[in-house]
Amino acid sequence: MAGRRTIMGTKMLEEMSWEQFDRARKESVAVLIPIGSVEEEGPHLPLGVDTLVAVEVAKRVALQLPVIILPAVSIGYSEWHKGFPGTLSLSISTLTQMLREICEDLVEQGLNRIVFINPHVGNETPIMEVAVELRMKSLARVAMFHLWAIANEMAKDVEGLVEKKFAHAGEMMTSVMLALRPDLVNMERAIKEFERTPMEGAKQEGSFKILFKNRHINFYCLSKEVTNSGVMGDPSHATREKGEIIVKGWVDYICDFIKEFKEVSI
């Protein structure tokens, strides 16, 4: 009986029958699309961090609101990480077309408030292109939550957080994974490493940005050029408690947004 209740109450599209979906779409205030990546995240974290986090956050939002969660788009645009084994990447054009067709299907079925739960910067351009197309045709409203960027803004409010700025495979990312999927975290393999820059007189900040003469500019590197381990921070300070604070902050914020978003005219 418990299993039956779980199935009947699901918010996951792939777990619904077509009849369940038909009912759910009439009650839903938004569709959530978890979208992530398969890329290196240091020796201590799994390749699918972004996708795993996006799905878990979407599930927690669905506990509070009548939403439908689509199957995760688990491979994004991650070309710059291909120097590390295991990284998979779609081209920007392929990813854009995939998202376009998914969103068109949703609109055809009356679902025109679409929210991407996205922890991966490489997915931003495809999402924006599709979102603008839909707005130009007045077909849908689209929003995107870049989770790590939001975590970066939340950092000052997270007690005990040592790295007050998000770092790839660093304290924040590792803390979130300890909160959501501790079974996939190997802290014995956690390495402290900070980005090096191939340009003298500049400070590297991630793969795509440098500080040069006290100003930030985009300077595009492959991740293998700036880190040996794939880590660009210090994960050693990560704790489950810090991760839980960040996850709760995300979920509360997304829920607050959707409550207003559902009232915006199409």
Side-chain angles (χ1 to χ4, degrees):
M1 182 62 71
R4 177 178 170 79
R5 285 198 298 270
T6 300
I7 292 171
M8 295 304 291
T10 186
K11 302 290 184 70
M12 309 290 289
L13 178 62
E14 67 264 42
E15 297 177 359
M16 297 178 185
S17 69
W18 72 264
E19 290 179 321
Q20 288 174 304
F21 170 75
D22 194 35
R23 291 193 295 270
R25 67 175 173 166
K26 296 169 185 174
E27 301 171 358
S28 174
V29 296
V31 177
L32 307 185
I33 304 181
I35 179 170
S37 65
V38 178
E39 64 181 30
E40 67 83 12
E41 303 287 3
H44 65 297
L45 295 175
L47 294 160
V49 164
D50 287 336
T51 304
L52 293 165
V53 168
V55 170
E56 291 301 320
V57 169
K59 287 180 178 179
R60 282 160 174 74
V61 171
L63 292 174
Q64 301 187 38
L65 294 173
V67 296
I68 295 172
I69 304 173
L70 261 60
V73 179
S74 58
I75 301 175
Y77 175 68
S78 299
E79 290 289 320
W80 66 97
H81 288 304
K82 279 193 169 180
F84 291 89
T87 295
L88 302 178
S89 179
L90 298 176
S91 68
I92 286 180
S93 59
T94 297
L95 182 57
T96 301
Q97 185 60 22
M98 179 189 298
L99 300 182
R100 178 181 291 117
E101 294 183 16
I102 291 170
C103 289
E104 287 173 351
D105 277 356
L106 292 173
V107 170
E108 284 180 7
Q109 299 186 68
L111 295 164
N112 51 18
R113 287 183 173 81
I114 301 167
V115 176
F116 285 92
I117 308 297
N118 173 43
H120 181 56
V121 67
N123 298 332
E124 290 186 354
T125 296
I127 292 170
M128 182 176 70
E129 183 169 335
V130 173
V132 171
E133 288 176 6
L134 292 171
R135 281 313 305 143
M136 290 291 289
K137 299 173 184 177
S138 298
L139 292 175
R141 290 282 182 183
V142 180
M144 182 199 71
F145 289 88
H146 185 170
L147 296 182
W148 301 125
I150 295 171
N152 203 38
E153 295 177 345
M154 292 165 47
K156 66 181 184 302
D157 300 319
V158 179
E159 186 176 351
L161 198 63
V162 176
E163 287 185 339
K164 293 298 184 180
K165 185 175 181 181
F166 174 77
H168 187 77
E171 182 183 9
M172 279 191 258
M173 181 182 284
T174 305
S175 292
V176 166
M177 283 299 289
L178 286 171
L180 296 178
R181 291 299 305 272
D183 56 308
L184 298 178
V185 181
N186 182 1
M187 290 303 292
E188 292 181 2
R189 296 287 298 135
I191 293 172
K192 174 182 175 181
E193 184 181 0
F194 298 100
E195 308 97 302
R196 61 180 182 272
T197 179
M199 181 176 175
E200 195 166 335
K203 179 186 177 184
Q204 196 75 30
E205 297 187 356
S207 298
F208 298 153
K209 188 175 288 187
I210 59 171
L211 182 67
F212 178 71
K213 293 190 174 180
N214 296 317
R215 299 287 186 273
H216 285 99
I217 63 169
N218 285 10
F219 179 71
Y220 300 96
C221 296
L222 303 178
S223 58
K224 197 69 174 177
E225 294 181 277
V226 301
T227 172
N228 292 322
S229 66
V231 177
M232 302 182 195
D234 184 0
S236 66
H237 301 291
T239 67
R240 176 182 58 82
E241 291 76 16
K242 295 172 191 175
E244 288 174 347
I245 293 170
I246 294 169
V247 172
K248 184 179 185 304
W250 282 336
V251 172
D252 290 348
Y253 182 64
I254 293 170
C255 287
D256 286 346
F257 172 82
I258 291 176
K259 290 172 186 175
E260 300 290 334
F261 182 58
K262 69 182 177 64
E263 304 298 337
V264 179
S265 63
I266 302 299

PDB file of all heavy atoms in Angstrom, residues 13 21 25 30-33 68-71 99-116 134 139-140 142:
ATOM      1  N   LEU A  13       7.553  13.184 -13.887  1.00  0.00           N
ATOM      2  CA  LEU A  13       6.840  12.868 -15.113  1.00  0.00           C
ATOM      3  C   LEU A  13       7.039  11.426 -15.543  1.00  0.00           C
ATOM      4  O   LEU A  13       6.080  10.740 -15.932  1.00  0.00           O
ATOM      5  CB  LEU A  13       7.297  13.810 -16.238  1.00  0.00           C
ATOM      6  CG  LEU A  13       6.670  13.568 -17.617  1.00  0.00           C
ATOM      7  CD1 LEU A  13       5.169  13.769 -17.581  1.00  0.00           C
ATOM      8  CD2 LEU A  13       7.307  14.466 -18.659  1.00  0.00           C
ATOM      9  N   PHE A  21      -0.637  12.211 -15.564  1.00  0.00           N
ATOM     10  CA  PHE A  21      -0.091  13.450 -16.109  1.00  0.00           C
ATOM     11  C   PHE A  21      -1.205  14.401 -16.519  1.00  0.00           C
ATOM     12  O   PHE A  21      -1.118  15.622 -16.283  1.00  0.00           O
ATOM     13  CB  PHE A  21       0.813  13.154 -17.300  1.00  0.00           C
ATOM     14  CG  PHE A  21       1.218  14.400 -18.045  1.00  0.00           C
ATOM     15  CD1 PHE A  21       2.169  15.255 -17.529  1.00  0.00           C
ATOM     16  CD2 PHE A  21       0.612  14.733 -19.252  1.00  0.00           C
ATOM     17  CE1 PHE A  21       2.529  16.423 -18.192  1.00  0.00           C
ATOM     18  CE2 PHE A  21       0.960  15.897 -19.923  1.00  0.00           C
ATOM     19  CZ  PHE A  21       1.914  16.733 -19.402  1.00  0.00           C
ATOM     20  N   ARG A  25      -1.178  18.135 -14.944  1.00  0.00           N
ATOM     21  CA  ARG A  25      -0.910  19.358 -15.710  1.00  0.00           C
ATOM     22  C   ARG A  25      -1.979  20.422 -15.485  1.00  0.00           C
ATOM     23  O   ARG A  25      -1.727  21.611 -15.659  1.00  0.00           O
ATOM     24  CB  ARG A  25      -0.773  19.042 -17.197  1.00  0.00           C
ATOM     25  CG  ARG A  25      -2.045  18.561 -17.872  1.00  0.00           C
ATOM     26  CD  ARG A  25      -1.828  18.383 -19.363  1.00  0.00           C
ATOM     27  NE  ARG A  25      -2.990  17.776 -20.008  1.00  0.00           N
ATOM     28  CZ  ARG A  25      -3.177  17.756 -21.316  1.00  0.00           C
ATOM     29  NH1 ARG A  25      -2.275  18.315 -22.116  1.00  0.00           N
ATOM     30  NH2 ARG A  25      -4.243  17.185 -21.834  1.00  0.00           N
ATOM     31  N   ALA A  30       3.867  25.129 -12.287  1.00  0.00           N
ATOM     32  CA  ALA A  30       5.094  25.272 -13.070  1.00  0.00           C
ATOM     33  C   ALA A  30       5.647  23.884 -13.392  1.00  0.00           C
ATOM     34  O   ALA A  30       5.332  22.904 -12.712  1.00  0.00           O
ATOM     35  CB  ALA A  30       6.148  26.078 -12.318  1.00  0.00           C
ATOM     36  N   VAL A  31       6.456  23.838 -14.429  1.00  0.00           N
ATOM     37  CA  VAL A  31       7.208  22.631 -14.765  1.00  0.00           C
ATOM     38  C   VAL A  31       8.666  22.889 -14.415  1.00  0.00           C
ATOM     39  O   VAL A  31       9.230  23.927 -14.792  1.00  0.00           O
ATOM     40  CB  VAL A  31       7.092  22.300 -16.269  1.00  0.00           C
ATOM     41  CG1 VAL A  31       7.948  21.096 -16.605  1.00  0.00           C
ATOM     42  CG2 VAL A  31       5.653  22.037 -16.646  1.00  0.00           C
ATOM     43  N   LEU A  32       9.273  21.961 -13.702  1.00  0.00           N
ATOM     44  CA  LEU A  32      10.687  22.072 -13.354  1.00  0.00           C
ATOM     45  C   LEU A  32      11.500  21.169 -14.276  1.00  0.00           C
ATOM     46  O   LEU A  32      11.177  19.993 -14.441  1.00  0.00           O
ATOM     47  CB  LEU A  32      10.922  21.653 -11.899  1.00  0.00           C
ATOM     48  CG  LEU A  32      10.073  22.324 -10.817  1.00  0.00           C
ATOM     49  CD1 LEU A  32      10.531  21.873  -9.436  1.00  0.00           C
ATOM     50  CD2 LEU A  32      10.109  23.835 -10.934  1.00  0.00           C
ATOM     51  N   ILE A  33      12.541  21.733 -14.861  1.00  0.00           N
ATOM     52  CA  ILE A  33      13.454  20.951 -15.693  1.00  0.00           C
ATOM     53  C   ILE A  33      14.834  20.942 -15.022  1.00  0.00           C
ATOM     54  O   ILE A  33      15.557  21.936 -15.090  1.00  0.00           O
ATOM     55  CB  ILE A  33      13.577  21.512 -17.122  1.00  0.00           C
ATOM     56  CG1 ILE A  33      12.194  21.617 -17.783  1.00  0.00           C
ATOM     57  CG2 ILE A  33      14.499  20.635 -17.957  1.00  0.00           C
ATOM     58  CD1 ILE A  33      12.229  22.149 -19.209  1.00  0.00           C
ATOM     59  N   ILE A  68       5.380  19.806 -11.752  1.00  0.00           N
ATOM     60  CA  ILE A  68       5.769  18.575 -12.431  1.00  0.00           C
ATOM     61  C   ILE A  68       7.269  18.649 -12.692  1.00  0.00           C
ATOM     62  O   ILE A  68       7.774  19.669 -13.165  1.00  0.00           O
ATOM     63  CB  ILE A  68       5.009  18.414 -13.760  1.00  0.00           C
ATOM     64  CG1 ILE A  68       3.512  18.234 -13.496  1.00  0.00           C
ATOM     65  CG2 ILE A  68       5.552  17.229 -14.556  1.00  0.00           C
ATOM     66  CD1 ILE A  68       2.661  18.250 -14.753  1.00  0.00           C
ATOM     67  N   ILE A  69       7.970  17.568 -12.372  1.00  0.00           N
ATOM     68  CA  ILE A  69       9.420  17.511 -12.604  1.00  0.00           C
ATOM     69  C   ILE A  69       9.678  16.664 -13.842  1.00  0.00           C
ATOM     70  O   ILE A  69       9.297  15.491 -13.898  1.00  0.00           O
ATOM     71  CB  ILE A  69      10.158  16.905 -11.400  1.00  0.00           C
ATOM     72  CG1 ILE A  69       9.841  17.686 -10.126  1.00  0.00           C
ATOM     73  CG2 ILE A  69      11.658  16.878 -11.657  1.00  0.00           C
ATOM     74  CD1 ILE A  69      10.411  17.044  -8.873  1.00  0.00           C
ATOM     75  N   LEU A  70      10.330  17.250 -14.821  1.00  0.00           N
ATOM     76  CA  LEU A  70      10.681  16.511 -16.026  1.00  0.00           C
ATOM     77  C   LEU A  70      11.899  15.624 -15.778  1.00  0.00           C
ATOM     78  O   LEU A  70      12.679  15.875 -14.848  1.00  0.00           O
ATOM     79  CB  LEU A  70      10.986  17.484 -17.172  1.00  0.00           C
ATOM     80  CG  LEU A  70       9.829  17.705 -18.166  1.00  0.00           C
ATOM     81  CD1 LEU A  70       8.618  18.272 -17.468  1.00  0.00           C
ATOM     82  CD2 LEU A  70      10.266  18.566 -19.324  1.00  0.00           C
ATOM     83  N   PRO A  71      12.093  14.603 -16.610  1.00  0.00           N
ATOM     84  CA  PRO A  71      13.349  13.838 -16.538  1.00  0.00           C
ATOM     85  C   PRO A  71      14.538  14.779 -16.711  1.00  0.00           C
ATOM     86  O   PRO A  71      14.490  15.721 -17.518  1.00  0.00           O
ATOM     87  CB  PRO A  71      13.231  12.864 -17.710  1.00  0.00           C
ATOM     88  CG  PRO A  71      11.766  12.725 -17.946  1.00  0.00           C
ATOM     89  CD  PRO A  71      11.175  14.073 -17.634  1.00  0.00           C
ATOM     90  N   LEU A  99      16.511  21.351 -25.896  1.00  0.00           N
ATOM     91  CA  LEU A  99      15.674  22.132 -24.990  1.00  0.00           C
ATOM     92  C   LEU A  99      14.511  22.773 -25.729  1.00  0.00           C
ATOM     93  O   LEU A  99      13.389  22.856 -25.201  1.00  0.00           O
ATOM     94  CB  LEU A  99      16.513  23.198 -24.284  1.00  0.00           C
ATOM     95  CG  LEU A  99      17.677  22.690 -23.423  1.00  0.00           C
ATOM     96  CD1 LEU A  99      18.380  23.858 -22.745  1.00  0.00           C
ATOM     97  CD2 LEU A  99      17.201  21.681 -22.390  1.00  0.00           C
ATOM     98  N   ARG A 100      14.766  23.223 -26.931  1.00  0.00           N
ATOM     99  CA  ARG A 100      13.703  23.820 -27.748  1.00  0.00           C
ATOM    100  C   ARG A 100      12.556  22.826 -27.954  1.00  0.00           C
ATOM    101  O   ARG A 100      11.376  23.164 -27.775  1.00  0.00           O
ATOM    102  CB  ARG A 100      14.273  24.264 -29.094  1.00  0.00           C
ATOM    103  CG  ARG A 100      13.240  24.857 -30.047  1.00  0.00           C
ATOM    104  CD  ARG A 100      13.883  25.249 -31.371  1.00  0.00           C
ATOM    105  NE  ARG A 100      14.780  26.395 -31.210  1.00  0.00           N
ATOM    106  CZ  ARG A 100      16.110  26.343 -31.439  1.00  0.00           C
ATOM    107  NH1 ARG A 100      16.686  25.219 -31.845  1.00  0.00           N
ATOM    108  NH2 ARG A 100      16.852  27.416 -31.281  1.00  0.00           N
ATOM    109  N   GLU A 101      12.888  21.610 -28.327  1.00  0.00           N
ATOM    110  CA  GLU A 101      11.853  20.622 -28.617  1.00  0.00           C
ATOM    111  C   GLU A 101      11.120  20.184 -27.352  1.00  0.00           C
ATOM    112  O   GLU A 101       9.910  19.949 -27.375  1.00  0.00           O
ATOM    113  CB  GLU A 101      12.468  19.431 -29.349  1.00  0.00           C
ATOM    114  CG  GLU A 101      12.981  19.807 -30.737  1.00  0.00           C
ATOM    115  CD  GLU A 101      13.525  18.629 -31.526  1.00  0.00           C
ATOM    116  OE1 GLU A 101      13.246  17.470 -31.154  1.00  0.00           O
ATOM    117  OE2 GLU A 101      14.232  18.875 -32.524  1.00  0.00           O
ATOM    118  N   ILE A 102      11.850  20.079 -26.242  1.00  0.00           N
ATOM    119  CA  ILE A 102      11.192  19.750 -24.971  1.00  0.00           C
ATOM    120  C   ILE A 102      10.188  20.837 -24.596  1.00  0.00           C
ATOM    121  O   ILE A 102       9.032  20.556 -24.247  1.00  0.00           O
ATOM    122  CB  ILE A 102      12.238  19.578 -23.846  1.00  0.00           C
ATOM    123  CG1 ILE A 102      13.066  18.306 -24.074  1.00  0.00           C
ATOM    124  CG2 ILE A 102      11.558  19.529 -22.475  1.00  0.00           C
ATOM    125  CD1 ILE A 102      14.259  18.190 -23.149  1.00  0.00           C
ATOM    126  N   CYS A 103      10.621  22.087 -24.680  1.00  0.00           N
ATOM    127  CA  CYS A 103       9.739  23.198 -24.296  1.00  0.00           C
ATOM    128  C   CYS A 103       8.554  23.323 -25.245  1.00  0.00           C
ATOM    129  O   CYS A 103       7.431  23.631 -24.808  1.00  0.00           O
ATOM    130  CB  CYS A 103      10.530  24.504 -24.246  1.00  0.00           C
ATOM    131  SG  CYS A 103      11.693  24.592 -22.859  1.00  0.00           S
ATOM    132  N   GLU A 104       8.773  23.090 -26.518  1.00  0.00           N
ATOM    133  CA  GLU A 104       7.657  23.131 -27.472  1.00  0.00           C
ATOM    134  C   GLU A 104       6.619  22.066 -27.147  1.00  0.00           C
ATOM    135  O   GLU A 104       5.408  22.314 -27.227  1.00  0.00           O
ATOM    136  CB  GLU A 104       8.188  22.959 -28.894  1.00  0.00           C
ATOM    137  CG  GLU A 104       8.913  24.188 -29.427  1.00  0.00           C
ATOM    138  CD  GLU A 104       9.575  23.957 -30.775  1.00  0.00           C
ATOM    139  OE1 GLU A 104       9.622  22.786 -31.231  1.00  0.00           O
ATOM    140  OE2 GLU A 104      10.037  24.949 -31.377  1.00  0.00           O
ATOM    141  N   ASP A 105       7.072  20.882 -26.766  1.00  0.00           N
ATOM    142  CA  ASP A 105       6.139  19.825 -26.361  1.00  0.00           C
ATOM    143  C   ASP A 105       5.344  20.229 -25.122  1.00  0.00           C
ATOM    144  O   ASP A 105       4.141  19.964 -25.024  1.00  0.00           O
ATOM    145  CB  ASP A 105       6.895  18.528 -26.077  1.00  0.00           C
ATOM    146  CG  ASP A 105       7.179  17.720 -27.334  1.00  0.00           C
ATOM    147  OD1 ASP A 105       6.716  18.131 -28.419  1.00  0.00           O
ATOM    148  OD2 ASP A 105       7.861  16.686 -27.240  1.00  0.00           O
ATOM    149  N   LEU A 106       6.021  20.866 -24.171  1.00  0.00           N
ATOM    150  CA  LEU A 106       5.331  21.305 -22.964  1.00  0.00           C
ATOM    151  C   LEU A 106       4.255  22.337 -23.292  1.00  0.00           C
ATOM    152  O   LEU A 106       3.122  22.253 -22.809  1.00  0.00           O
ATOM    153  CB  LEU A 106       6.340  21.899 -21.978  1.00  0.00           C
ATOM    154  CG  LEU A 106       7.342  20.933 -21.357  1.00  0.00           C
ATOM    155  CD1 LEU A 106       8.368  21.705 -20.537  1.00  0.00           C
ATOM    156  CD2 LEU A 106       6.644  19.891 -20.492  1.00  0.00           C
ATOM    157  N   VAL A 107       4.609  23.308 -24.119  1.00  0.00           N
ATOM    158  CA  VAL A 107       3.661  24.361 -24.488  1.00  0.00           C
ATOM    159  C   VAL A 107       2.449  23.776 -25.203  1.00  0.00           C
ATOM    160  O   VAL A 107       1.305  24.167 -24.949  1.00  0.00           O
ATOM    161  CB  VAL A 107       4.364  25.422 -25.355  1.00  0.00           C
ATOM    162  CG1 VAL A 107       3.346  26.392 -25.956  1.00  0.00           C
ATOM    163  CG2 VAL A 107       5.390  26.196 -24.517  1.00  0.00           C
ATOM    164  N   GLU A 108       2.689  22.822 -26.087  1.00  0.00           N
ATOM    165  CA  GLU A 108       1.585  22.187 -26.812  1.00  0.00           C
ATOM    166  C   GLU A 108       0.592  21.518 -25.862  1.00  0.00           C
ATOM    167  O   GLU A 108      -0.590  21.378 -26.186  1.00  0.00           O
ATOM    168  CB  GLU A 108       2.127  21.138 -27.790  1.00  0.00           C
ATOM    169  CG  GLU A 108       2.747  21.724 -29.038  1.00  0.00           C
ATOM    170  CD  GLU A 108       3.270  20.654 -29.971  1.00  0.00           C
ATOM    171  OE1 GLU A 108       3.033  19.455 -29.692  1.00  0.00           O
ATOM    172  OE2 GLU A 108       3.917  21.004 -30.977  1.00  0.00           O
ATOM    173  N   GLN A 109       1.085  21.117 -24.686  1.00  0.00           N
ATOM    174  CA  GLN A 109       0.228  20.422 -23.722  1.00  0.00           C
ATOM    175  C   GLN A 109      -0.243  21.337 -22.586  1.00  0.00           C
ATOM    176  O   GLN A 109      -0.671  20.878 -21.535  1.00  0.00           O
ATOM    177  CB  GLN A 109       0.960  19.198 -23.185  1.00  0.00           C
ATOM    178  CG  GLN A 109       1.302  18.215 -24.304  1.00  0.00           C
ATOM    179  CD  GLN A 109       1.899  16.929 -23.792  1.00  0.00           C
ATOM    180  OE1 GLN A 109       1.225  16.137 -23.140  1.00  0.00           O
ATOM    181  NE2 GLN A 109       3.169  16.704 -24.091  1.00  0.00           N
ATOM    182  N   GLY A 110      -0.131  22.642 -22.846  1.00  0.00           N
ATOM    183  CA  GLY A 110      -0.682  23.615 -21.919  1.00  0.00           C
ATOM    184  C   GLY A 110       0.199  23.978 -20.751  1.00  0.00           C
ATOM    185  O   GLY A 110      -0.252  24.641 -19.814  1.00  0.00           O
ATOM    186  N   LEU A 111       1.470  23.587 -20.786  1.00  0.00           N
ATOM    187  CA  LEU A 111       2.397  23.892 -19.695  1.00  0.00           C
ATOM    188  C   LEU A 111       3.327  25.013 -20.151  1.00  0.00           C
ATOM    189  O   LEU A 111       4.280  24.799 -20.891  1.00  0.00           O
ATOM    190  CB  LEU A 111       3.183  22.634 -19.315  1.00  0.00           C
ATOM    191  CG  LEU A 111       2.296  21.524 -18.729  1.00  0.00           C
ATOM    192  CD1 LEU A 111       3.025  20.197 -18.745  1.00  0.00           C
ATOM    193  CD2 LEU A 111       1.847  21.876 -17.320  1.00  0.00           C
ATOM    194  N   ASN A 112       3.022  26.201 -19.711  1.00  0.00           N
ATOM    195  CA  ASN A 112       3.722  27.372 -20.248  1.00  0.00           C
ATOM    196  C   ASN A 112       4.436  28.215 -19.199  1.00  0.00           C
ATOM    197  O   ASN A 112       4.788  29.365 -19.454  1.00  0.00           O
ATOM    198  CB  ASN A 112       2.760  28.245 -21.064  1.00  0.00           C
ATOM    199  CG  ASN A 112       1.482  28.568 -20.299  1.00  0.00           C
ATOM    200  OD1 ASN A 112       1.432  28.446 -19.074  1.00  0.00           O
ATOM    201  ND2 ASN A 112       0.456  28.978 -21.031  1.00  0.00           N
ATOM    202  N   ARG A 113       4.648  27.635 -18.022  1.00  0.00           N
ATOM    203  CA  ARG A 113       5.535  28.253 -17.033  1.00  0.00           C
ATOM    204  C   ARG A 113       6.627  27.241 -16.724  1.00  0.00           C
ATOM    205  O   ARG A 113       6.379  26.224 -16.072  1.00  0.00           O
ATOM    206  CB  ARG A 113       4.763  28.657 -15.774  1.00  0.00           C
ATOM    207  CG  ARG A 113       3.872  29.880 -16.001  1.00  0.00           C
ATOM    208  CD  ARG A 113       3.158  30.320 -14.741  1.00  0.00           C
ATOM    209  NE  ARG A 113       2.458  31.577 -14.975  1.00  0.00           N
ATOM    210  CZ  ARG A 113       1.272  31.693 -15.560  1.00  0.00           C
ATOM    211  NH1 ARG A 113       0.651  30.598 -15.973  1.00  0.00           N
ATOM    212  NH2 ARG A 113       0.719  32.879 -15.746  1.00  0.00           N
ATOM    213  N   ILE A 114       7.820  27.533 -17.212  1.00  0.00           N
ATOM    214  CA  ILE A 114       8.907  26.557 -17.222  1.00  0.00           C
ATOM    215  C   ILE A 114      10.061  27.096 -16.383  1.00  0.00           C
ATOM    216  O   ILE A 114      10.511  28.229 -16.582  1.00  0.00           O
ATOM    217  CB  ILE A 114       9.374  26.290 -18.668  1.00  0.00           C
ATOM    218  CG1 ILE A 114       8.193  25.761 -19.511  1.00  0.00           C
ATOM    219  CG2 ILE A 114      10.552  25.327 -18.695  1.00  0.00           C
ATOM    220  CD1 ILE A 114       8.456  25.767 -21.009  1.00  0.00           C
ATOM    221  N   VAL A 115      10.540  26.277 -15.461  1.00  0.00           N
ATOM    222  CA  VAL A 115      11.630  26.683 -14.570  1.00  0.00           C
ATOM    223  C   VAL A 115      12.773  25.683 -14.698  1.00  0.00           C
ATOM    224  O   VAL A 115      12.611  24.491 -14.416  1.00  0.00           O
ATOM    225  CB  VAL A 115      11.150  26.738 -13.100  1.00  0.00           C
ATOM    226  CG1 VAL A 115      12.320  27.070 -12.171  1.00  0.00           C
ATOM    227  CG2 VAL A 115      10.031  27.759 -12.948  1.00  0.00           C
ATOM    228  N   PHE A 116      13.921  26.159 -15.134  1.00  0.00           N
ATOM    229  CA  PHE A 116      15.118  25.330 -15.209  1.00  0.00           C
ATOM    230  C   PHE A 116      15.862  25.400 -13.875  1.00  0.00           C
ATOM    231  O   PHE A 116      16.156  26.491 -13.376  1.00  0.00           O
ATOM    232  CB  PHE A 116      16.057  25.812 -16.317  1.00  0.00           C
ATOM    233  CG  PHE A 116      15.589  25.469 -17.704  1.00  0.00           C
ATOM    234  CD1 PHE A 116      14.803  26.354 -18.425  1.00  0.00           C
ATOM    235  CD2 PHE A 116      15.944  24.259 -18.292  1.00  0.00           C
ATOM    236  CE1 PHE A 116      14.369  26.046 -19.706  1.00  0.00           C
ATOM    237  CE2 PHE A 116      15.515  23.937 -19.562  1.00  0.00           C
ATOM    238  CZ  PHE A 116      14.721  24.829 -20.277  1.00  0.00           C
ATOM    239  N   LEU A 134      10.617  31.663 -27.005  1.00  0.00           N
ATOM    240  CA  LEU A 134       9.265  31.452 -26.495  1.00  0.00           C
ATOM    241  C   LEU A 134       8.599  32.767 -26.118  1.00  0.00           C
ATOM    242  O   LEU A 134       7.389  32.939 -26.319  1.00  0.00           O
ATOM    243  CB  LEU A 134       9.306  30.507 -25.290  1.00  0.00           C
ATOM    244  CG  LEU A 134       9.705  29.053 -25.606  1.00  0.00           C
ATOM    245  CD1 LEU A 134       9.923  28.277 -24.319  1.00  0.00           C
ATOM    246  CD2 LEU A 134       8.645  28.365 -26.459  1.00  0.00           C
ATOM    247  N   LEU A 139       4.581  32.462 -26.016  1.00  0.00           N
ATOM    248  CA  LEU A 139       4.144  31.088 -25.782  1.00  0.00           C
ATOM    249  C   LEU A 139       4.344  30.626 -24.344  1.00  0.00           C
ATOM    250  O   LEU A 139       3.615  29.753 -23.870  1.00  0.00           O
ATOM    251  CB  LEU A 139       4.895  30.133 -26.720  1.00  0.00           C
ATOM    252  CG  LEU A 139       4.573  30.256 -28.212  1.00  0.00           C
ATOM    253  CD1 LEU A 139       5.473  29.334 -29.022  1.00  0.00           C
ATOM    254  CD2 LEU A 139       3.108  29.930 -28.463  1.00  0.00           C
ATOM    255  N   ALA A 140       5.338  31.179 -23.671  1.00  0.00           N
ATOM    256  CA  ALA A 140       5.648  30.687 -22.331  1.00  0.00           C
ATOM    257  C   ALA A 140       6.477  31.711 -21.574  1.00  0.00           C
ATOM    258  O   ALA A 140       7.083  32.616 -22.166  1.00  0.00           O
ATOM    259  CB  ALA A 140       6.396  29.360 -22.406  1.00  0.00           C
ATOM    260  N   VAL A 142       9.728  31.630 -19.010  1.00  0.00           N
ATOM    261  CA  VAL A 142      10.820  30.739 -18.624  1.00  0.00           C
ATOM    262  C   VAL A 142      11.702  31.436 -17.590  1.00  0.00           C
ATOM    263  O   VAL A 142      12.048  32.617 -17.753  1.00  0.00           O
ATOM    264  CB  VAL A 142      11.668  30.333 -19.847  1.00  0.00           C
ATOM    265  CG1 VAL A 142      12.805  29.401 -19.417  1.00  0.00           C
ATOM    266  CG2 VAL A 142      10.801  29.659 -20.911  1.00  0.00           C
TER     267      VAL A 142
END
